[in-house]
Amino acid sequence: MYALGRWLSKITNLMTVIGGLAIALMMLHVTADVVGRFVFGTPIPGTITIVSHYYMIVAAFVPLAYAEQKNGHITVEVVTERLPQVVQKHLEGWALAFSGVVFSFLTVRTWGEALSKHAINASVVQGDASISVWQTYFVLPVGIGLMTVVLFYKFIVYLFGLKSGLDQERAQPDEMPLAATHLADVEKEDAR
């Protein structure tokens, strides 16, 4: 299972690089469009469509799994932080399963939408050009699907107490022995 986590980390890292490249390409494309528009009087045709339907979609949806892998999603712990560590651990673990189910529904739904856009060869008309955009609809199920896989992997690691192969930045409560977690909390209290 650890090897699977390492492999999954490599995939999510690669997807994040692709998302970063999309941002860099978007920056270069928009800069070239502005220079073309104001210096040469000739903008690049379809820039708005390409930026909004290609670069932004890739930059937003491809790195989702990376954020989950690094535990970088926003969490609000109003009630749960007051619960015992063992309860927090189990709530977090089962939240992974619930999130995995929700994201699997999103993956199936976005895949169906992508297939329907492919079937009609969806495109956007900007100026006098027709730009095909059906390809970008497949980015959503890929990004969301990878997020689903990471969530279910983390749930299985939690459920069976396995060592995670994911490249996580900070230790999670399920990766620390409960006694060590409690000891760290006691030491923090003593330091104050």
Side-chain angles (χ1 to χ4, degrees):
M1 198 66 171
Y2 182 83
L4 178 63
R6 299 303 309 148
W7 180 78
L8 200 53
S9 282
K10 289 177 183 174
I11 297 288
T12 57
N13 292 342
L14 174 67
M15 296 301 265
T16 301
V17 169
I18 291 170
L21 287 173
I23 292 171
L25 288 172
M26 178 173 53
M27 178 186 67
L28 293 172
H29 191 146
V30 170
T31 302
D33 183 59
V34 169
V35 169
R37 180 181 313 266
F38 292 109
V39 175
F40 302 110
T42 309
I44 299 174
T47 297
I48 294 171
T49 301
I50 292 170
V51 165
S52 62
H53 283 83
Y54 283 87
Y55 301 132
M56 292 177 91
I57 298 294
V58 171
F61 287 97
V62 168
L64 275 176
Y66 181 80
E68 180 58 37
Q69 170 188 318
K70 298 292 187 184
N71 300 309
H73 289 290
I74 297 171
T75 59
V76 179
E77 300 166 345
V78 176
V79 175
T80 57
E81 69 182 6
R82 300 185 190 317
L83 298 173
Q85 285 290 326
V86 70
V87 174
Q88 289 182 33
K89 173 186 169 184
H90 293 301
L91 283 174
E92 185 177 321
W94 286 98
L96 291 169
F98 177 75
S99 299
V101 169
V102 170
F103 274 91
S104 58
F105 284 132
L106 281 170
T107 303
V108 170
R109 178 65 182 109
T110 56
W111 179 257
E113 186 69 18
L115 290 176
S116 71
K117 294 300 181 181
H118 175 2
I120 63 171
N121 197 19
S123 61
V124 172
V125 176
Q126 184 178 350
D128 57 353
S130 177
I131 301 168
S132 180
V133 295
W134 64 265
Q135 303 90 336
T136 61
Y137 283 88
F138 286 96
V139 173
L140 276 74
V142 168
I144 295 170
L146 187 57
M147 170 81 166
T148 305
V149 171
V150 169
L151 285 165
F152 281 128
Y153 175 82
K154 287 174 72 173
F155 176 68
I156 291 169
V157 165
Y158 151 76
L159 197 60
F160 296 106
L162 303 171
K163 184 176 179 186
S164 176
L166 288 178
D167 194 19
Q168 298 171 318
E169 289 180 350
R170 60 186 168 93
Q172 293 300 303
D174 60 326
E175 295 175 347
M176 295 175 108
L178 189 57
T181 305
H182 180 66
L183 182 60
D185 290 340
V186 169
E187 289 173 356
K188 286 180 192 174
E189 292 288 330
D190 290 342
R192 292 182 193 168

